[in-house]
Each structure stands twice: as structure tokens, then as C-alpha cells.
Amino acid sequence: MKSLGIGLIGTGFMGKAHALAFGAARAVMGDMPESHLAVLCDTPVEKAKQMADQFGFAKSTADWTSLISDPDVDIVSITTPNALHFEMAIAAIKAGKHVYCEKPLALTLDQAREMRDATRKAGIKTMVGYNYIKNPAFTHACRLIQGGEIGEIVHFRGCVDEDYQADPALPWTWRAKLADAGLGALGDMGCHLVSMAYGLVGPIDSLIADMQTVHTTRPLPDGTGRAKVENEDTASALVRFANGAQGSLSTSRSAWGRKNRLAWEVHGTKGMICFDQERMNELQLYRNSGDKAQQGFTTILTGPAHPPYGEFCPAPGHQLGFNDLKVIEAAALLRAIRDDSPASPDFEHAYEFEKVIHAIAKSATDGTRVSLSEV
Amino acid sequence: MKSLGIGLIGTGFMGKAHALAFGAARAVMGDMPESHLAVLCDTPVEKAKQMADQFGFAKSTADWTSLISDPDVDIVSITTPNALHFEMAIAAIKAGKHVYCEKPLALTLDQAREMRDATRKAGIKTMVGYNYIKNPAFTHACRLIQGGEIGEIVHFRGCVDEDYQADPALPWTWRAKLADAGLGALGDMGCHLVSMAYGLVGPIDSLIADMQTVHTTRPLPDGTGRAKVENEDTASALVRFANGAQGSLSTSRSAWGRKNRLAWEVHGTKGMICFDQERMNELQLYRNSGDKAQQGFTTILTGPAHPPYGEFCPAPGHQLGFNDLKVIEAAALLRAIRDDSPASPDFEHAYEFEKVIHAIAKSATDGTRVSLSEV
Amino acid sequence: MKSLGIGLIGTGFMGKAHALAFGAARAVMGDMPESHLAVLCDTPVEKAKQMADQFGFAKSTADWTSLISDPDVDIVSITTPNALHFEMAIAAIKAGKHVYCEKPLALTLDQAREMRDATRKAGIKTMVGYNYIKNPAFTHACRLIQGGEIGEIVHFRGCVDEDYQADPALPWTWRAKLADAGLGALGDMGCHLVSMAYGLVGPIDSLIADMQTVHTTRPLPDGTGRAKVENEDTASALVRFANGAQGSLSTSRSAWGRKNRLAWEVHGTKGMICFDQERMNELQLYRNSGDKAQQGFTTILTGPAHPPYGEFCPAPGHQLGFNDLKVIEAAALLRAIRDDSPASPDFEHAYEFEKVIHAIAKSATDGTRVSLSEV
Amino acid sequence: MKSLGIGLIGTGFMGKAHALAFGAARAVMGDMPESHLAVLCDTPVEKAKQMADQFGFAKSTADWTSLISDPDVDIVSITTPNALHFEMAIAAIKAGKHVYCEKPLALTLDQAREMRDATRKAGIKTMVGYNYIKNPAFTHACRLIQGGEIGEIVHFRGCVDEDYQADPALPWTWRAKLADAGLGALGDMGCHLVSMAYGLVGPIDSLIADMQTVHTTRPLPDGTGRAKVENEDTASALVRFANGAQGSLSTSRSAWGRKNRLAWEVHGTKGMICFDQERMNELQLYRNSGDKAQQGFTTILTGPAHPPYGEFCPAPGHQLGFNDLKVIEAAALLRAIRDDSPASPDFEHAYEFEKVIHAIAKSATDGTRVSLSEV
């Protein structure tokens, strides 16, 4: 197999994470196809050039269409602002390239559906940046549930909170504009929580929801007044899963003190599992078994017993970090391409996750229960 | 002032807690009217006698009406199963006795309203056993909020979970029967959470909710088959507060591993406060002030700086326990009687709290938003 | 059996705790001999009178010798400053009274030995206020160890820290004077840690130690200058237990932020148990058993499965408080008197605990290993 | 400046960590000299070849002397078993290569001194793998202390525990042999703790110590009997720092449940800072300032306010992992080489850290206080 050429669009938070991930995947995992950092795109071209030098890309460009059409590019990584995903992904798919796209797929569910549909007969692999489900702690939780360790799942509670929009004095940005940013907290964070709920409990059937814009206007950066915040700062939903479980999902970007509190608890008939991304190397497990006097939540610290932790470090409790999750994600895509096996989460999965956040927004707007089958 | 005679009905969990509380209130607080343990009621009479001896009551009876009419009884403590509160409280009020009633007031909101109305011109004091709001950690949180420490309150999340009905193998009891127990998790625990939300954020305007009976039938204790569980194991609500804040309330009696997880977080424009009753001597406070590099949640361990902790112990961090909360509650009632000042939470407050749990049940049943003003 | 009359000397932190404990023991435990609050002693007599009224004692006095000789007093509770324990305890023992003395027994080990010796043929019961070993979490830990749950004990680490002398600006008090206070942190807190180590691992054979007076002088309260701090702010020891285990003990009264951090960990060949008094209702248990992927520290929240928790509250996780430990302690003394059975910890045990803190001080002063058999 | 060629000896835990670190340093940090993965050495040569392919090294060899003499190698990374460090480092220094050596420098202090001395006029840079002091949480703690945030440092407590030798059934390995492994827990882990104590409080003046071999023999892997464990499973020391502070250091490789518990607390006259590597993205800070009722330990979650966290991720609380610490370490070496500025910790610093673990072993053996100036 020839070395897979990576074309990366964007050099921000996620752009750097993708570059690091592709750079490390083979050294970490061993069992990886050859790949190389082929083309980096950003604007202006000077920035693209400088970051290509830093990240180790062979070429740079300010024109993303040329990146996509570059014959040395096999995988197109899209890490641009959400509003740009759609056009870039569609173009890459049409060009027959594999696509690694950051979440959410698109601003609207219609666009996301179109993106998904475009992949269906394209013969390419896709991967979407739902990196938190790549955490060995998360996959271990899923394994525990599938193994029946906590019995039948009956309830789920989850939240995902940060404080990047908590300060009332923060200036207005494009993030507050529906046309540019789409959903607010739901799009930034809520869909991550959905991806975890989906893996732990399964698909959601219907929900009722509410939303809130905490800071309804923000000062314009140029001091000329205030502009409207058009999307939600918080959203909450009461959900019913297809398997009969109920639960709740909440998100806030105005939650002071929360830096990445993507936390959930899964209630089963025999036990409970809890997790908090702010302590991403820990899993809490309660099982109703054995002597009542010894029962309690066990704090499992991830280690080599929780693959692929051991690929990063043979010693337990030494901690993976956020960027390591992206390595696992990139490696999953590279393997899927090499083996022509299913990638996960691909555009199909991402579309299912994102249907839920749009359903939440719809229910919150309409004030009625929304069935996922109708979205 | 003559010594206040306590008449206590019930000797279970709450009965013992009341007995201990009245027994200790004066020694702990100093500034207390005289009181004495006058009459204890339970059935059969032998049990009443034995427990009166244990608890230190002067008299015992199996007839609660005689307790109420006993001239030596000034305060009637009602700690019987919920279905009995109504009749006993009404009788005590009619007899001109002060009433200290465990929550919830009654099985139905109509009964609760009648109880409240009965107190309005009775010239007596009432207190309801919402003991968790007597925690110095809680009153400190309220003080912080009122002092503006975390700015304007914009969001609230709370849950109250236990696992006493989590085991599918547990036999059917009267707790599962609407006519005997009324609401399930909402009545046992949910109302406690409401009492805290109310104190922290204020009254709730409207809500949408969902409920679930996790274990729909349970084995009859006599082995003759299974009977239906008529009330909810879990309930969740998305609420809108009168002050514009939104939030969620959840409760489950099927949450393995949770023993008394009455936990909440209050989101303000300047900070956040969090609490978990399973660590009832701790409060978590985040404030957006000072150097960003030093910000984080501060774990405040209660001590003499958080009255009335110091009445129990002059050394901080030495821990209050559950029964100490009942001492604070009983002392509040005794003071209100002595000073003829408002008691809190009285039947008026309790009625407001309990309106919310009935509104949750109604919304969950009807599937629509319920305004508290319509309940 | 006639009702046991309690004579309590002192009305401070521990005085109140004793009064509350005797007041509640029978109501909590049920299975208790009759007792009554007979005489309270403090100075001046007005204070004694006022506190007797608050605590519910029948009589009051400013003369502790008259308390001891009062025929209605069967048990003498000594909660005065440490320098007074010796004379009072000796007098009480001579008068044939049972003695409940706060720790440490005395300022010097010689005095403690004399107190212990005095009890040997006195035919009375003694109890010493090592209340932390009455915690159901602690007795559960001991049970786990005795049951072999963590294998053979090989190592112990413990500390007991507070911050009541951490502030350099605090004025000089009698606590800083050897003749009045005896040892510093070791006497106030260190002996508590020893009592726990003793129960968990057994007697100590020898040790090497170091001590430190962090704030060597303090301002006189009257502003006339500074006076010397004569006893230790911190002390640390490396110990060897009789069973071959090693470990360390540390204490500091200058540890900012620590309010009652009496924390330890017991290392066994099959597992570990950890505890922290600041979360006194929790025990951490690790066992090397079963699937490695599910191993971790289990947080056991005390409940009715950990006697005598259930006497206070039938619901797990509802939390005991500090004063509840004194109830368990007082009840243990009352039962020992009723049954003429051994009380624990009595003056014999306390002497063993306190030998260790004096050995630590000696080793720290001499700079050499001290064998407990030589102290 | 020409691209710096990396020669890496060893492909185990640390070998992989070095490879990943050099692979990512420039992409993460930007401001980095060019470097490339030149030569990888391991045995047998097939393994070297395979791992060179995985890690991305240009050449491979089974002969470490040829790696050192390779003109394309500028930096020699030594990650072999400790017994081999000495010879390799000396050779590399003689060859004029920069040396990046894992800790501890050598099996004996004499060897370590010789290594340090060899660097003194060699005109090369050295770096030693004390990676935990590269944690942004740690450097922030040092900054807080240097800024006087917790006042004068008066006490230190630290431990470093793992459980990799806790199981009595584990077979005997070379790790148990003095001639091959040197010190036990002290060499593997204790020196890390010393490196942190040194950074936080400064150099140690003298100490008294004790050691213990918990499992004195272990079964031979071939089943032919049992062999002696020659080095320590646990070690503890009471230390006096040059600045007058006292404290304790403890380590155990037999501590069930501890996976990387490198935990310490620094006591100052105005506050305290605590850390635990098992939650390596958190720092606990207590300050005696402001309202007593709001004081408590603040959990600071590292983020861009704690450089160089922001180089890895612009969002706070997203977590660094263990391997990221090695990136920071490798980058520090690369910068020192480029700028011809001091590297830290170099062989000079490492020698100082390692003097302490040898002093601990000496004191534990001799039973007397050891002055660091005499070691």
C-alpha cells in the first residue's frame, strides 16, 4: 500500500490536534499503514507556509480546492469553522478522497444529511471528530455495559459544560450568529454528549427540551454598541431511548468553573457507571454484588487493561491526555482505509448524533415532544 | 414561659430523629425555651411504652388522638407514614397545637392545601421536615447568592437519588401503591430538592417533565405472584424559574450506589456553587475573580464561620451529621414558638415546594408544559 | 441497676460533647443502662449554673472535689485542660468513681503511668476520649483487616493536621508552654493518630523522629513583646511495628487548610485501606482480586451495614457527625459499667498510645532510635 | 543551524516516550530547532529495525557504540536499563554528543558523580528524564511559591507509590538484584519525589531514614525455588531542608492500588499547595486570605494560564497526558542546544537529586542521621 497523504485544512485547536495525531499514530500504534503529512491549507498563505513548517507538512496552500485536488492527498482533514465543513466535505467526497471532518458535520441537519448521503456510494472512508468516545475509559464503560456488568440500562444523565461564554463582558463574535455558527452550546458541545449517550444506551426515540440564551446581547468588539446573541447558551432535554430507558441531556457554555465537564452517569438494574471528562482517566463503577458492607463506587484508573491505553504507556495510571484521543481517532481512520473496514464514527453515525441536537432545538422552540423519526 | 411539651407520633427513622433533636436542642443551642418529652405514640402500645422509655418520654400511648388532646402536649410531631399526616395534622391544628410534620405534607396537593389553609388562622406555628435546608452549608450558599458572590443566577441543576428501590428482586410494599404512598421518588426525595432550589433560586414558574417506573411489577412478599408498582421510580423536569433562570430537577429511587445524593449546582453570571449531601459538610464555590491562573472550585469545609455549626462544635471540619440537621430544625420551631416569630419552612412553604412535585407528575402524565399557577 | 449519675467537669468543646453524648446515648442505642446528668462543674460558679441549666444537669458547682465526692455521681467526666486531668482523675479513682477522661491522660508519661496504675485495683471502669476509633468507618476497617481482606499488613502511613496554630500573627497562649500544655501537636492530635495505628496495625516497637517549632515566638496578647513557643508545631516519626510492618506518623498544627485531617493508609499484601476524618463517613478500599480492568479504590459510604451507624439512622450515606462519635464512646463506657466488662480504650490502652507520642518527642530530642520498651 | 539528529538507545516504555517526544516537539511548540530521528538502537537488530520503522527513525542498529559515533547523531537518548546508563553516557559525552538520559543517572552515586564530572568541560548539553517537574501544574506551583502566595515554606510531605511489586506471587527479576538494578523503590520512583521537593522547597541538608523489603524472597521464574530480593520495597525519610523547613519523603513499590501516586503537600506560613500525579492536571491551593467563611482548597485545573499547556491545547481543562511531559522535556533540551543556554534538569541537578536517595539508603542502613554534605 502506498503511503497515505494527509491534506489538512485549518491550523487552529483542531488543526493542530489532527497534525499531531497523524504525526504520532504509527509510532504509537505500530500496526498502522504508512502515511505522510502532504499538504496544509490555511489563510493567508504565509500562515499556511509557517504552520506547514511547524507541523511538518511537505506543501502549503491558501486554496483548499487545490489541496483537495492534489494527487498526493488521500485523506482530507477538515478543521475549519463549522460553516465551511459542508462545502469542503462535499468537494472532497466528490474528488474521491477520504474525509476526516470535525464535528458537527454542518450548520443544519439538511446539510449534514446531504453530506452523509454523498458518502454512501462514494467508496471512501469518513471519520468525524467525536474524540471523547475514543477514550479507553469510555470504551471500557461500553464493554462493561455490553457484558451485563450493570444489568439492563434504565436511566441516563449527562451534561457537557464549559465557561467560555460565561463572562457577560465578553464581546460579540460570529459564534453568536446563527448563520455563521448554527447552534450554540448544542453544536459545540451537546453533540459530544449525544455521541456518548448513543454508545452507552443506544438511539434516542423522542425528547422534550428547553433552551436559554443567558446573555441575550453582547458588546460589539469595536465599541459601537451591542449585538444580539442568536443561539443558545444552555439547552436541556428529557429523552426517551429506544430501549425504554429515560434520561436527561444538558449543556451550557455559561457554566463558570467548568472547563470540559462532559459528565454522565448510566443507571442499570445491577449497578451504575459514571464519568467526567475533567478526570478523563477515571471511571466510577458501582455494582450491587457481594457484601453490602463493602459496596461503593470504585474509581478505576485507566491503564493497559483498557486498550489502547497500553500503546501509549505500559504503566497504569500515568494518564492519557486530550491529544491522545485524537491519535486513537486518526489511527481508527487509517486502519479502516487500509483494511477497507467500517470506520466509526463516520458520517452515518455523526448524522444520527446531530439529529438529536437539532431535535432538541426544535422541541425547545416548539414546546412539544419531538420524535427523532420526524426530524 | 412554661416548658413546651412534645408529643411525638411515630418512632421510626424520623421519629427517632425528632426525639433526638428535641432532646438535644437546648443543650446544643443554649438560647432555647424549656421543653420536655411529654407523650410518645406508636402501635402497639407495648412498642410505644418501650420506645418512650428509650427516648425519655414521660408518657406513652397507642392512640394518637389522646396524644393530641393531652394538655401537656404543646407541639405535635408527626412522623408517621405519609398517608396519615393529613388527618393527624388537621386534628392537631384544630386542637390548637403547634405542628412539626414530616414531608411531604400529604399524599395529594388538595390535602396539602387544606392543611396549609387550616394553619392560616389557627394561631399556631408549623414546621415541616425539610431538614436539608437547615444545613449550615446550605444556608451559607444562600447567603453567598444573596450577597451577589456569584452574580445573577441563570441556571440550576439538581438531582436527588437513592437506591432503596434499585434492586429488581425487592418485594412489593405499600410504597408502590398510589393510594397509600402517593407519589414515589418525587414524594420521598424530589420535594427535598425542590426546597433547596426554592431557597437558592426562588419560585418556579412552569415546567415540562417525564417520569418512569423502572420496575413495573414486584414480587409479592408472600410469594403468590407479582403486583403492580403504581408510582414513579424516576422523574425529571425542565424548569423555568420566576426570575428567568432555567434548569432541571431529577430524582430516582433506583440509582444504584447513590445513598443520599441530593446534589445541585447553581450557575451565576460571576460564579458557581455546588453541593452534594453525601458530603454534607462541603460546599464548592467558583468565582470568576482575580488571577485566572488561580481560579478553580474551592472546597469550603463547614465550621464555626457557618452558623449554627459552632453551636455543635467550635472546631471547623469536624463534621455535622444528619441528626444534627434535625436539631437545627427543631430549634427553629422552638424559637419561633417562644418569640411568636415566623417559622420556616412552615406549611405555607411546604405547600409551595410540594406544588412543584405534583406539577412534575402532572406534566409527565399530560406530556405538556405545566404552569405552577394552574396547579 | 440504679441510674448512673454523671458528673462532668468542664463545659468547653469536649464538655459539651460529653453532655450531649450522655444525653443521647440511651435514646440512640436503646440497650443502655439508665443514667442521668447529675452534677456539672465549671468556674466561676455562675457559668457552671448557666451551663448546667443549658445541658440539663441537676446540680452545678465550681468545686470539682465536691463533684467527685457527690454520692449521686457515679461517673466523673474530665474535660478540663490537660494539665488538670491528673489530679482530678486520681481523686476520682480514689473516690471509687468510674472515670471518663479526655486525651491525653496527662502532661507527662510518668503522670499517665501513675493514673493507669491507680486504676488497676480500683474496681472501676475508665474510658479515654479517643473518639475517632469509635467511628463505624474505623471499626469496619479493623474488621476488614482482621478478616484478612487486605492480607498481611506491611506498611502504614498517617498524619493528623490542623491549622489552629498556622497563623504567625496568633498571640501566645498557655498552649505554647510546656508546663501548662505539655506536648504540642503530638498531645493535641498525634495521640489520636497513634490510637488508630494501634487498632489497625498493632503496637509499635521502636521509632526515629523529628520535631519542629515553626513559629518559635508569638506576640504576647497584651502587646508587651513576644514569648517563646516551647512545644512542637510539627512532629514526624518513622516507626517499626511489632508485627514487622514499617510506617510513618506525622502531625502538624500549622498546616493551613487542614481542619481535621486525620488521614491514614494501611498497606497490605492483598490490598489497601485509606481514611480521612475530613470525610469521616467514607472508607477507601482496594483489593487485588478479580479482573484487573475493574480494580480501583472503592469508596464505601458508611451505613447500617457498619454498626452502630444504624442506631443513629437506618438509611446509609446520611452521615454521622463528630458528636455522634462521642455518643458511641459514652455508650461503650455505660455498657462496660453495666456489664462489668472491659471498657476500651481505657487508661491501659491510653497509656500505650501516649507512650508513643512521648517516644517521638524523646527521639526527636535525642536524635536516636527509641525503643518503646525503654520509654 | 543544521537539523539535530536524534540517536535513541532503547525502545521500551521510555524509549517510545522519547521517540514520541522528539517527533512532536516542533509541531507542538513551534519555536524549536529542526531535528530528525536519525538512529535507533535496540537488540536484536531485527527489533531495532522494526521499531525504527514504527517510530520513524532513518537508521537502526544493535550496536550502541556505532549509534554514538554516527556523525548524523547529535543527541544521544539513553533509555536502557539503569545499569547501562553509565557506560553509554560516558561514551556519548566523550564523543561530544548531547545526552538525554533517563533517571536515575546510574546505579551508584560514584558513577553518577563521574557522569556529572564528565559533562563539566565537555561543552555539551545534558537532560535527565525527571519528567514530572515539567508538568505545567508543577511549574505553576513553583511560581506560586516563588511569588510568596503561601508565605515562607515550613514543611513538606511527599510520597511516591506504585503497586508493581505488591503481589507476593510475582516472580523474581533482575529488578531485585542490587548489582543490576541498584536501589529499589528509591531509584525507580523516590528520586522523582526528590526532584519535586527540590524544586518546591530547595536542597535538603540532612535526613534520617528507614527502609523495608516487604517481600524478602520471590519465586524464580523457572520454578526452581526462590531468590532473595536485595533492594528495598519501601523507604521513608525525615528530612531537614537547607531553608529550615522539615518534612518527610516516602516511597513504596508495594502499595496496592497506587498506580502513580506521586503526591506532595507544601506547607507555608500563608497557605498550602498539594498535588497528586494521578490527577496530574490539578493543583490544590489554600490561602489564608479574605473571608474565613469562603476559605478552602481550590482545585486549579491546568489550562493556557499555565504555560506551556497552551502549546498543546488552547482550551483549559482538556488535560495533558504523561507523554506530553516528555515533549516539554525534549523541547527544553532542544532549546538549550539551539540557544547554548543552560538545560534543566541536567546531570548537575540529577546528581543532587540522586545524592538524596543514596543518603536515604545510607541512613536506613546505618540507623543514623546523614548529612548530605557527607554523602
Side-chain angles (χ1 to χ4, degrees), chain C residues 109 158 160 183 185-187 189-194 197 204 206-212 232 234-239 247-251 352-372 375, chain D residues 208 238 246:
Chain C
L109 193 58
V160 51
L183 294 170
L186 283 168
M189 300 176 291
C191 53
H192 277 302
L193 178 59
V194 173
I204 289 167
S206 72
L207 54 83
I208 48 176
D210 210 355
M211 296 195 307
Q212 173 189 22
E232 80 287 355
T234 82
S236 310
L238 305 181
V239 301
S248 62
L249 310 176
S250 304
T251 183
E352 295 304 316
F353 303 157
E354 295 172 22
K355 250 168 79 174
V356 176
I357 58 172
H358 289 282
I360 291 173
K362 181 172 161 49
S363 173
T365 306
D366 299 352
T368 57
R369 177 170 293 275
V370 168
S371 167
L372 267 291
V375 178
Chain D
I208 47 176
L238 305 181
Q246 290 194 7

Side-chain angles (χ1 to χ4, degrees), chain B residues 290-309:
Chain B
D291 186 347
K292 285 275 174 198
Q294 264 76 279
Q295 288 185 11
F297 278 92
T298 298
T299 303
I300 301 169
L301 207 44
T302 47
H306 313 96
Y309 177 103

Side-chain angles (χ1 to χ4, degrees), chain B residues 31 35 56 85 90 99 115 118 156 181 204 211 216 229 236 250 258 279 299 314 349 353-354 356 363 367 371:
Chain B
D31 173 32
S35 69
H85 293 182
I90 293 289
V99 181
M115 290 163 78
F156 176 87
I204 289 167
M211 298 195 307
T216 51
V229 175
S236 310
S250 304
R258 304 308 193 190
R279 287 179 173 166
T299 303
H349 304 113
F353 302 157
E354 295 172 23
V356 176
S363 173
S371 166

Side-chain angles (χ1 to χ4, degrees), chain A residues 282-302:
Chain A
E282 300 179 14
L283 205 61
Q284 303 284 329
L285 171 63
Y286 185 99
R287 281 175 295 185
N288 174 38
S289 66
D291 187 346
K292 286 274 173 198
Q294 264 77 280
Q295 288 186 11
F297 278 92
T298 297
T299 302
I300 301 169
L301 208 45
T302 47

Side-chain angles (χ1 to χ4, degrees), chain B residues 52-302:
Chain B
D53 179 58
Q54 175 172 339
F55 290 168
F57 278 81
K59 290 187 266 185
S60 60
T61 176
D63 170 17
W64 62 266
T65 62
S66 78
L67 178 147
I68 286 177
S69 59
D70 193 307
D72 193 28
V73 168
D74 300 292
I75 298 170
V76 177
S77 256
I78 302 172
T79 70
T80 48
N82 302 342
L84 304 175
H85 293 182
F86 174 74
E87 191 182 2
M88 291 172 175
I90 293 289
I93 295 165
K94 280 193 183 149
K97 305 297 170 88
H98 306 292
V99 181
Y100 180 9
C101 185
E102 273 307 309
K103 44 55 57 185
L105 285 175
L107 296 195
T108 68
L109 193 58
D110 284 342
Q111 286 180 326
R113 190 182 310 111
E114 200 174 328
M115 290 163 78
R116 179 200 66 178
D117 292 347
T119 67
R120 285 197 163 163
K121 294 190 179 170
I124 50 122
K125 301 295 173 188
T126 59
M127 173 70 58
V128 187
Y130 283 98
N131 33 261
Y132 298 115
I133 59 179
K134 295 305 182 188
N135 188 335
F138 180 76
T139 45
H140 187 61
C142 292
R143 225 166 13 240
L144 288 169
I145 290 170
Q146 284 150 18
E149 286 282 338
I150 62 166
E152 185 191 346
I153 304 310
V154 296
H155 208 76
F156 176 87
R157 300 239 188 88
C159 67
V160 51
D161 294 341
E162 298 195 13
D163 62 7
Y164 61 92
Q165 294 289 309
D167 193 340
L170 280 181
W172 188 93
T173 69
W174 64 268
R175 284 191 171 280
K177 202 170 165 186
L178 265 177
D180 291 346
L183 294 170
L186 284 167
D188 278 357
M189 301 177 291
C191 54
H192 277 302
L193 177 59
V194 172
S195 75
M196 296 185 111
Y198 203 100
L200 296 160
V201 193
I204 289 167
D205 243 21
S206 72
L207 54 83
I208 48 176
D210 210 354
M211 298 195 307
Q212 174 189 23
T213 302
V214 170
H215 305 289
T216 51
T217 64
R218 288 195 173 275
L220 286 164
D222 59 7
T224 59
R226 301 182 69 86
K228 200 182 167 196
V229 175
E230 298 175 353
N231 49 22
E232 80 287 355
D233 286 321
T234 82
S236 310
L238 305 181
V239 302
R240 293 181 181 170
F241 291 89
N243 71 352
Q246 290 194 7
S248 61
L249 310 177
S250 304
T251 184
S252 171
R253 63 185 184 189
S254 301
W256 272 121
R258 304 308 193 190
K259 306 306 178 187
N260 194 10
R261 189 171 170 85
L262 172 49
W264 46 258
E265 50 188 58
V266 185
H267 302 213
T269 53
K270 293 183 184 172
M272 190 185 290
I273 304 178
C274 308
F275 173 80
D276 176 356
Q277 175 67 21
E278 287 184 355
R279 287 179 173 166
M280 61 173 269
N281 289 279
E282 300 180 14
L283 204 62
Q284 302 284 329
L285 172 64
Y286 186 99
R287 280 175 296 185
N288 174 38
S289 65
D291 186 347
K292 285 275 174 198
Q294 264 76 279
Q295 288 185 11
F297 278 92
T298 298
T299 303
I300 301 169
L301 207 44
T302 47

Side-chain angles (χ1 to χ4, degrees), chain A residues 175-216:
Chain A
R175 284 191 172 279
K177 203 170 164 185
L178 265 176
D180 291 348
L183 293 171
L186 283 168
D188 278 358
M189 301 176 290
C191 54
H192 276 303
L193 178 59
V194 172
S195 75
M196 296 185 110
Y198 203 99
L200 295 160
V201 192
I204 289 167
D205 243 21
S206 72
L207 55 82
I208 48 177
D210 209 356
M211 297 196 307
Q212 171 190 25
T213 302
V214 170
H215 305 289
T216 52

Side-chain angles (χ1 to χ4, degrees), chain C residues 276-341:
Chain C
D276 176 357
Q277 174 68 23
E278 287 184 356
R279 287 180 174 165
M280 62 174 269
N281 290 278
E282 300 179 15
L283 204 62
Q284 302 283 329
L285 171 64
Y286 185 98
R287 280 175 296 184
N288 174 38
S289 66
D291 186 348
K292 286 274 175 200
Q294 265 76 279
Q295 288 185 11
F297 279 93
T298 297
T299 303
I300 301 170
L301 207 44
T302 47
H306 313 96
Y309 176 103
E311 306 298 330
F312 293 88
C313 175
H318 279 55
Q319 320 277 312
L320 299 192
F322 176 84
N323 285 330
D324 296 329
L325 303 183
K326 294 308 262 191
V327 173
I328 302 173
E329 193 172 76
L333 174 59
L334 291 171
R335 273 204 200 94
I337 293 171
R338 182 192 58 191
D339 303 341
D340 194 13
S341 62

Side-chain angles (χ1 to χ4, degrees), chain D residues 22-35:
Chain D
F22 281 116
R26 185 180 169 89
V28 169
M29 299 289 181
D31 172 34
M32 275 291 118
E34 294 270 358
S35 69

